[in-house]
Each structure stands twice: as C-alpha cells, then as structure tokens.
Amino acid sequence: MHNTSHEPARIGLAGFGNVGQYLARALDSGVLPHARLTAVTVRDLEKAARNAEALGSRPAIVPLDEICAHADIVVECATAGALPDIARAVLGQGRQLVLVSAGGMPAFPDMVDFAERHGGRIRIASGALPGLDSVRGAAEGTLRSVRLTSRIRPNSFIGEPYLEARGLDFSEPPQEAVQVFSGSARKAAEAFPRHFNVAIALSLAGLGLERTMVEIWADPGIPGAQHLVEVEAEEIVLTMRSQNFPSTTNPKTSRAVGPSILAALRSMTATLQVGS
C-alpha cells in the first residue's frame, strides 16, 4: 500500500542498533522523497538520543507505547525476541509494520489475525533472499515443493543454544562444511530465530511453514551467507541463488538488510512500484 497523500509518510524505527542507525542516516539524507524519519523507540532512550544527535530530522525518541502517535509506518529492526511486543504495540494501533526479524513470528502465532482485527498491515523485508516475487507468483498456480538450502559462516553460529545442546561448537571453525539442520521451515525458525528470517519469508510467500523444507550448513569456505531456493510448480521451475556479505559494523548481520528495508519503504511510499 503506497502513500497517496501529498505529505511524506512518517517513519518510526523500533530498534536503533546498526540497522536502525543506517536507516536513520539514509532517511535523514532524503533518499526517500515520500518518507521522513519522525520517531525512534528503544529500551535505552538516553543512548538512542545520543546516537540521534547528528540527525537533522530530530526524530522523537519515545517509549514503544508512544511511537504510533508519531509514525504511520514502523520498521522493526530489533530482535526476534522483541518482535511480539513491537508487533502488538504497532498493529494494535492500526499502523503498518515492516518486519526485519521475521524469525520471531512463531512466537506470536496469531499476528496476522491480530493485525486484521485492528486494521494493521504487515510487510516482511527480506533482501537476503532471491525471487520472492517469483515464488508468490508460483503460489498463485500449482506449487508442489519449495526447498531452501542455506550455508552460513560457522562463527555466526557461536553461542546458539540449539547447536550447543547437540554438542556442536564452532568457536574453532571446522575444516569443511557441516550440516547442522534438516527439516521444516517452522523447525528451522524455532532452532535459529536470529538467522532464519529468510525461512519464514519464503514460507509465507509459498507453501507455508510445514511444507517448506530447509537444510542448513555451517560452511567455513564462504565469504557470507548463501541461500539456494528451489521451487517446483506446474507452471514454472525456479532455481535461485544469493550470495550475501556480512555488515562491516556487525559481521552477524547481512549487508543487504538495510537496503532491503529502504526498498520496502520505497515501494510503500512511491508513486511507481516495481514488482508484485
């Protein structure tokens, strides 16, 4: 849904870490002519105020329960654990929510129904994953299977409870790729909520959480996360591969996250929208 008024859409950020500050600087520079940064919410408001001092837009630094008074669209750029509280606060006021931490959706299983009841809208930004428009198109036909194979650098898995419980320790990188998971997208998101926003996005675009199959490898031989999406339908067969690169400020975050959110905001506010 794009902005149809002459006034720029008011953008709020729920989270103000590396991704949030990247978005703040981009919006502050005027990169999106039909959007402006108006508010930021985080747990540590004083720290956020210090980090926002250089912004010419002077966004309001407010508690979560006040952000909807300042924003039409709120970007969640926090964590999967924080997502349910952010979603309730934003969608409960009938606002639009752009999700980064889609891996947190299983913790709020009735999120879509909640948004429907309150007039809110949800959009998932997932620039790390190729071909979601193509998958959505295939889902309108006869979609038979969707498989995601992800290869992640081992150091990204350090401290993951799911792996520690299985005796897998990547504090020292393995000599070759190690398979760490095989199963449904729902199970992948439960096991790795911080990593597998891509599994949730792919599932919602296609066959759902139970029928989307996921295979995950810890691979020391790659520069950043790789995702292979394989789709079979009566109308089309798709094989799509992406190579992501780690952020220079936070190696556990893909460099594509910030631009993918800007692209989502552009399509929500611009006169011309490319893609479905």
Side-chain angles (χ1 to χ4, degrees), residues 29-73:
S29 74
V31 68
L32 300 183
H34 300 292
R36 60 189 176 96
L37 176 64
T38 54
V40 171
T41 184
V42 287
R43 289 177 179 168
D44 189 339
L45 298 178
E46 292 184 2
K47 181 179 178 181
R50 291 194 299 272
N51 289 333
E53 284 178 354
L55 298 173
S57 53
R58 297 288 183 237
I61 311 296
V62 296
L64 177 58
D65 61 3
E66 295 180 19
I67 194 167
C68 290
H70 301 271
D72 309 304
I73 301 170

Side-chain angles (χ1 to χ4, degrees), residues 145-208:
S145 69
V146 180
R147 174 172 290 275
L148 170 66
T149 302
S150 294
R151 292 180 175 270
I152 310 292
R153 287 183 57 81
N155 60 354
S156 293
F157 286 126
I158 295 174
E160 290 287 354
Y162 176 87
L163 297 180
E164 289 181 346
R166 287 156 178 77
L168 292 170
D169 178 8
F170 293 118
S171 54
E172 290 293 331
Q175 295 300 307
E176 56 187 27
V178 177
Q179 187 182 68
V180 299
F181 179 87
S182 180
S184 71
R186 182 183 299 280
K187 294 295 185 182
E190 291 172 355
F192 305 100
R194 185 168 55 85
H195 290 285
F196 281 91
N197 302 323
V198 291
I200 297 293
L202 181 61
S203 301
L204 294 175
L207 287 175

Side-chain angles (χ1 to χ4, degrees), residues 149-157 173-178 180 195-196 215-228 241-247 251 254-255:
T149 302
S150 294
R151 292 180 175 270
I152 310 292
R153 287 183 57 81
N155 60 354
S156 293
F157 286 126
Q175 295 300 307
E176 56 187 27
V178 177
V180 299
H195 290 285
F196 281 91
E215 192 174 287
I216 304 168
W217 293 74
D219 190 339
I222 56 174
Q226 295 179 350
H227 301 293
L228 172 66
R241 186 187 301 273
S242 68
Q243 168 68 70
N244 298 288
F245 298 99
S247 165
S254 169
R255 203 178 301 177

Side-chain angles (χ1 to χ4, degrees), residues 224-243:
Q226 295 179 350
H227 301 293
L228 172 66
V229 179
E230 297 169 286
V231 175
E232 290 189 14
E234 285 190 12
E235 296 80 9
I236 192 170
V237 173
L238 302 168
T239 301
M240 300 167 286
R241 186 187 301 273
S242 68
Q243 168 68 70

